[in-house]
Amino acid sequence: MTNKEIFERAKKGDKSILKLPKEKLVIKNKWGETPIHFLADNKVKEIVKLDKSLLMIKDNDGNTPI
C-alpha cells in the first residue's frame, strides 16, 4: 500500500490501516500530519489502543492526534 493510499483511507476513517506496521503510521504529509491525525478527526476510537508515541506526534502547527 502506498503512502497516498494510506492517507486516502485514513481520511475516510478506515480502521483497517491500524493493522499496518508502525513505520507506515508515522509517515507525514506536507503539513506534518500522520494517518493517525485523520483517524482522530474521524473519531476512530481504536487509536487510543495504539502505542502512545503515535498519539504524541505533532503536526507543523503543534497539534497531536488527540
Side-chain angles (χ1 to χ4, degrees):
M1 182 178 314
T2 67
N3 290 354
K4 182 179 178 181
E5 290 171 324
I6 293 169
F7 276 108
E8 287 174 2
R9 288 182 178 199
K11 288 176 185 178
K12 294 177 183 176
D14 183 347
K15 298 180 220 180
S16 71
I17 66 167
L18 293 172
K19 296 177 184 174
L20 294 173
K22 185 177 179 178
E23 60 268 6
K24 290 289 192 176
L25 298 176
V26 296
I27 58 174
K28 292 186 173 188
N29 63 14
K30 65 182 178 182
W31 297 282
E33 300 163 314
T34 67
I36 305 303
H37 283 85
F38 291 103
L39 291 177
D41 287 345
N42 280 292
K43 298 177 179 41
V44 175
K45 296 175 184 169
E46 289 81 359
I47 65 169
V48 299
K49 298 176 185 174
L50 293 173
D51 179 336
K52 301 300 179 214
S53 66
L54 292 172
L55 301 177
M56 301 310 296
I57 298 173
K58 294 181 180 180
D59 65 14
N60 295 348
D61 292 327
N63 298 313
T64 64
I66 54 172

